[in-house]
Amino acid sequence: MPSPTEPTPDPQPPAAPVAASAAVETGFHRACVLGLGLIGGSLVRALRRLGVDVVGYDPDERTVAAAAADAVPVAATVAGAVHGADLVVLAMPLPNLRTALTELAPHLRPGSVLTDVGTLKQPVLDLVAELIPQATFVGGHPLAGTEESGWAASDGELFRDAPWALPLEDGTDLSAWLRIAELLCHLGSRPVPCRALEQDTAIARVIGLPHVLAEALALTGLDGGPLGLSLAAGSYRDGSRVARTRPELVATWCDGNPPLVTALDDVIARLGAVRAGLAAGGSVYDLAAAAYQARTDWEHRRFLPVELVPDRAALLAHGAAGGWITAVLRDEDGTRLLGMRPH
Amino acid sequence: MPSPTEPTPDPQPPAAPVAASAAVETGFHRACVLGLGLIGGSLVRALRRLGVDVVGYDPDERTVAAAAADAVPVAATVAGAVHGADLVVLAMPLPNLRTALTELAPHLRPGSVLTDVGTLKQPVLDLVAELIPQATFVGGHPLAGTEESGWAASDGELFRDAPWALPLEDGTDLSAWLRIAELLCHLGSRPVPCRALEQDTAIARVIGLPHVLAEALALTGLDGGPLGLSLAAGSYRDGSRVARTRPELVATWCDGNPPLVTALDDVIARLGAVRAGLAAGGSVYDLAAAAYQARTDWEHRRFLPVELVPDRAALLAHGAAGGWITAVLRDEDGTRLLGMRPH
């Protein structure tokens, strides 16, 4: 069981330790990253900093040229990239996964760990179970990213202090899960133990919903004509910023995730209530006050360091409580984990 | 009539010229600013940089102490602040205006110009017409501001490159309007000629709506529990940022503005359509693609410099087309204006 100790004095969670270049024992020696967009490219850069031998692959010629120009080894085929890798990372959009899994299946060597970086976790889990049931698969979702995309936007520091949802199902190999969690801690990110379906439900509210609202604002805000375009300022700009995300990507994050329909029902009901209030001469004050409180509470959350044992139920309880892993420690007595969780 | 000239080579409109400190002839010699929050305080700082003698007033003792500590002359009463001023700026929330106008009415000297910096323009126009019909009043609304508030957040550069809606009604004194427009150009902001009701309609979509959506997101995004709180990242953070605005302020920007009810109807209809699509196995792609286009078009608008005559109809047409004023020039041949408008 986790044992809360002293509260951290700072309202912001502490930054993860910076890994010394090429000096960290990651447990992986040869990784391949399939897909060299913002996330895949950033992961290539981050893994190389840890001293991991990384080979990339991307179907797009210009992306390959850009990565090669940055001295990244790029394989010409999926098979070539996967060959000899003990870590295989799927970093392409969900619609491309079926083809990629089919191509790599014959080349995945026993003992290798397969992971991914997609937004929705249950569909990937289902697809892997269907196409490569023998694979040691640990899904993952780094909550890092911007409205930029492509290799050119990639950044080896993208994952620092970013949550990284790491589904831990009944069928997940706990040892492989711990190795991935350890690697992610070395990247400076924050592995969050969770169930795939729980993460997809949470993501509907904190990724899908913000994107749909930003898009609805981007359009509805400007529907009033040119005067509004010139008066639009900070609140319009910020509120609609993620509407600049490539529509294909937004669709892969939102489509086929039933909890997003529920989240939209909730937000529509909330907006309908404030609309009715305003139409009746009422005020947005109550909504604004409740939102102010929720938003500032979220921003000022405090966290406690905890120690955890590598037990599936304990890890899941930690993640469900809003906690994450900060280190995986191994010594003669076995494995233990350090983490942070809300105060 | 405006005469479009060469397109600007840069997609961003050019920055307004920086006024040399204390060297600009603003046409005003003694200003008073009633209310020393973010906007009023920033205006005090900006006017002082132009060499205008400014006296402040605020009912809050701590605000008075903070402004005085920054060497700003602060009057103890509204009457004391208004005495001798040729420019009187109302910079308090809408609910406080009635009292302020009643207090200052006996002290406003003939020929002085009264202006304000509130978000909604028609209610202020109505209130001034009711309480000081003899005043030379030019309403104004700087589209500058952050979720921060108070004197401590004030910044003399807050208005640089910011739109500043400047209602020009049939009853507005054109000469006073031009003097205010000229002053705002010296502050580096962008006066936008418009009707008060048109600006309130536009503001419903680009100020009211973004705030209500940010508040609905702040709450609905976190309704899923602790896991969502720890997975919330950039899109939640940005989308809910303005929910950190003081609720009292948001209420003054949103309440009593019927066009906001219409804007909410529009956004609810849009969200309902995407919700129905997703529930039926469809995609957010069409919404995301349309929003991407609208948002990037807005960001990449190009502008043409134009020259304008001080004619009410010509100025209003310029503002309605998305244009603003960059300079008011006076010479022996009379007054002309320079402006920018969308390409």
Side-chain angles (χ1 to χ4, degrees):
Chain A
M1 286 296 292
S3 57
T5 57
E6 290 303 295
T8 51
D10 190 275
Q12 289 302 310
V18 176
S21 176
V24 170
E25 180 45 62
T26 60
F28 295 103
H29 302 290
R30 166 95 156 67
C32 84
V33 177
L34 306 174
L36 300 175
L38 173 67
I39 301 293
S42 298
L43 192 54
V44 166
R45 294 180 188 277
L47 288 171
R48 282 160 63 97
R49 288 190 190 179
L50 293 181
V52 179
D53 176 24
V54 188
V55 174
Y57 169 80
D58 199 283
D60 179 68
E61 278 178 29
R62 288 191 305 179
T63 300
V64 169
D70 286 342
V72 171
V74 184
T77 61
V78 167
V82 172
H83 182 77
D86 54 6
L87 175 64
V88 175
V89 183
L90 301 159
M92 71 274 290
L94 188 54
N96 303 353
L97 273 190
R98 177 174 289 276
T99 304
L101 286 169
T102 307
E103 269 185 76
L104 72 84
H107 307 283
L108 195 66
R109 75 177 192 195
S112 292
V113 178
L114 179 66
T115 188
D116 83 307
V117 294
T119 300
L120 299 181
K121 300 278 43 92
Q122 190 61 45
V124 182
L125 206 61
D126 295 343
L127 209 56
V128 172
E130 176 195 338
L131 298 173
I132 329 186
Q134 75 281 13
T136 302
F137 176 68
V138 179
H141 174 209
L143 278 291
T146 67
E147 71 279 17
E148 308 300 330
S149 59
W151 174 268
S154 67
D155 171 8
E157 288 294 303
L158 186 69
F159 308 113
R160 185 159 303 283
D161 300 327
W164 194 307
L166 208 58
L168 181 54
E169 308 297 308
D170 292 341
T172 304
D173 181 315
L174 183 58
S175 160
W177 189 95
L178 290 167
R179 288 177 71 200
I180 296 286
E182 186 176 6
L183 177 68
L184 300 184
C185 290
H186 287 311
L187 294 182
S189 77
R190 303 176 170 180
V192 175
C194 57
R195 300 274 185 186
L197 272 178
E198 287 169 358
Q199 115 74 54
D200 292 358
T201 302
I203 260 23
R205 287 181 187 265
V206 299
I207 301 285
L209 187 64
H211 280 83
V212 172
L213 290 177
E215 289 153 5
L217 172 62
L219 290 168
T220 313
L222 301 185
D223 277 350
L227 178 62
L229 269 72
S230 65
L231 297 184
S235 60
Y236 173 80
R237 181 180 299 115
D238 285 4
S240 63
R241 184 183 65 82
V242 296
R244 292 169 62 225
T245 312
R246 279 174 45 218
E248 297 81 2
L249 290 178
V250 178
T252 68
W253 304 337
C254 292
D255 298 352
N257 192 23
L260 179 55
V261 174
T262 309
L264 282 168
D265 282 339
D266 290 353
V267 89
I268 290 169
R270 198 158 245 147
L271 292 171
V274 74
R275 183 260 179 237
L278 284 172
S283 177
V284 301
Y285 181 84
D286 288 349
L287 173 71
Y292 177 89
Q293 195 64 48
R295 181 55 168 74
T296 50
D297 285 351
W298 176 74
E299 197 164 311
H300 297 137
R301 282 176 305 152
R302 294 169 65 101
F303 301 90
L304 289 171
V306 293
E307 192 171 325
L308 297 147
V309 291
D311 170 78
R312 209 175 294 259
L315 290 169
L316 285 171
H318 178 63
W324 68 90
I325 308 301
T326 54
V328 179
L329 307 174
R330 300 168 193 277
D331 58 26
E332 57 271 27
D333 297 329
T335 302
R336 64 207 165 87
L337 301 94
L338 305 181
M340 297 294 287
R341 74 162 50 172
H343 186 23
Chain B
M1 286 295 293
S3 57
T5 57
E6 290 302 295
T8 51
D10 192 274
Q12 289 303 309
V18 176
S21 176
V24 169
E25 179 46 62
T26 62
F28 295 104
H29 302 289
R30 166 94 158 66
C32 85
V33 177
L34 306 174
L36 300 174
L38 173 67
I39 300 291
S42 298
L43 191 55
V44 166
R45 293 181 189 276
L47 289 171
R48 281 160 63 95
R49 288 190 189 178
L50 293 180
V52 179
D53 176 24
V54 188
V55 174
Y57 169 80
D58 198 282
D60 179 68
E61 278 178 31
R62 288 191 305 179
T63 300
V64 169
D70 286 341
V72 171
V74 184
T77 61
V78 168
V82 172
H83 182 76
D86 54 6
L87 175 64
V88 176
V89 183
L90 302 158
M92 70 274 289
L94 189 53
N96 303 354
L97 274 190
R98 177 175 288 276
T99 304
L101 285 169
T102 307
E103 270 185 77
L104 72 85
H107 307 282
L108 194 65
R109 76 177 189 193
S112 291
V113 179
L114 179 66
T115 188
D116 83 307
V117 294
T119 299
L120 299 182
K121 300 279 41 93
Q122 190 62 45
V124 183
L125 206 60
D126 294 344
L127 209 55
V128 172
E130 175 195 338
L131 298 173
I132 329 184
Q134 75 282 13
T136 302
F137 176 68
V138 179
H141 173 209
L143 278 291
T146 68
E147 69 279 18
E148 308 300 330
S149 58
W151 174 267
S154 66
D155 170 8
E157 289 293 303
L158 186 69
F159 308 114
R160 185 158 304 280
D161 300 327
W164 194 307
L166 206 58
L168 180 53
E169 308 297 307
D170 293 341
T172 305
D173 181 316
L174 183 58
S175 160
W177 189 94
L178 289 167
R179 288 176 71 198
I180 297 286
E182 186 176 5
L183 178 67
L184 301 183
C185 290
H186 287 311
L187 294 180
S189 76
R190 303 177 171 180
V192 175
C194 56
R195 299 275 184 185
L197 273 179
E198 287 170 357
Q199 114 78 53
D200 292 359
T201 302
I203 261 23
R205 288 181 185 264
V206 300
I207 301 286
L209 187 63
H211 281 82
V212 173
L213 289 177
E215 289 152 5
L217 173 62
L219 291 166
T220 313
L222 301 186
D223 277 349
L227 177 62
L229 269 71
S230 66
L231 296 184
S235 60
Y236 173 80
R237 180 180 298 114
D238 285 4
S240 63
R241 184 184 65 82
V242 296
R244 293 169 61 223
T245 312
R246 279 174 45 219
E248 298 81 3
L249 289 179
V250 179
T252 69
W253 304 337
C254 291
D255 297 353
N257 191 24
L260 180 55
V261 175
T262 309
L264 283 168
D265 284 337
D266 289 354
V267 88
I268 290 168
R270 197 158 245 146
L271 293 170
V274 73
R275 183 258 179 239
L278 284 172
S283 176
V284 300
Y285 181 84
D286 288 349
L287 174 71
Y292 177 89
Q293 194 64 47
R295 182 57 167 73
T296 51
D297 285 352
W298 176 74
E299 197 164 311
H300 297 137
R301 283 177 305 153
R302 294 170 66 99
F303 301 91
L304 288 171
V306 294
E307 193 171 324
L308 298 147
V309 291
D311 170 80
R312 209 175 293 260
L315 291 169
L316 286 171
H318 179 63
W324 69 90
I325 308 301
T326 54
V328 180
L329 307 175
R330 301 168 193 277
D331 59 26
E332 57 271 26
D333 297 329
T335 301
R336 63 207 165 88
L337 300 94
L338 304 181
M340 297 294 286
R341 73 162 53 170
H343 187 23

